[in-house]
Every structure is written in C-alpha cells, then in structure tokens.
Amino acid sequence: LCLLANGVLACSYGRPGNRIMFSADGSGLQWTDHLQLYEYQSGSFGYTGIVEVEPGKLLYVYDRHDRFPEYGGRLTTAIQGVYITVTRR
C-alpha cells in the first residue's frame, strides 16, 4: 500500500497476474477495477512493490521470469519497473 500526496491510496499485488488498484478517497473502503500490469505466462513469483517517487507518480516494480534477449534468450528472473501517473478526478 502507498498513500499518495494527492490522497489516493494505491495497492499493488501479484497472483493472479501483477496488478494495481486505487482507492480514490484514500480510505480503502472502495477500490477501482484491478488493473493488470503484467500477465506472467512464463512465470513470476507475484512479488510487487510501489513507491511514490514524486507527487502523483508511482514506481511499480515486479518480478518476471522469462526469456530475455539481453541474456542470450536464456530463461531467467528479472526485476522490472514502470512509472504510473495517478491523478484524482
């Protein structure tokens, strides 16, 4: 969980898939749809993490077990990240 500076509460989790959801009022009583950021077909342990890196901007990290060109196409596990901008409506 991460309470953003704008009052939105974010929750990241894994299994099934690596996902994120938001509580617009920050209470955690009502959540948005669960947004899937990575559907692991080759595998994932389902570990995720989030941190607000600047107001309204999250860094979402997750593990990924896949074949990567950077490692000669070998099956390996890596940590990947994506930035998510969160605004209130």
Side-chain angles (χ1 to χ4, degrees):
L1 292 171
C2 180
L3 183 59
L4 283 75
N6 62 11
V8 174
L9 182 62
C11 175
S12 73
Y13 64 97
R15 296 188 183 171
N18 294 337
R19 300 173 187 245
I20 193 166
M21 61 184 176
F22 301 94
S23 175
D25 67 0
S27 71
L29 296 175
Q30 293 183 336
W31 296 92
T32 62
D33 289 338
H34 308 247
L35 305 171
Q36 184 169 290
L37 298 175
Y38 176 65
E39 174 60 41
Y40 41 84
Q41 297 189 4
S42 296
S44 172
F45 295 106
Y47 296 120
T48 66
I50 49 177
V51 65
E52 187 173 28
V53 293
E54 61 185 57
K57 186 176 184 179
L58 287 175
L59 173 60
Y60 178 99
V61 294
Y62 59 96
D63 70 290
R64 180 175 164 195
H65 189 69
D66 211 339
R67 297 187 185 280
F68 296 92
E70 299 90 338
Y71 298 102
R74 294 188 321 266
L75 194 59
T76 190
T77 301
I79 301 299
Q80 295 209 288
V82 61
Y83 290 107
I84 302 169
T85 301
V86 181
T87 56
R88 293 182 75 165
R89 289 193 226 174

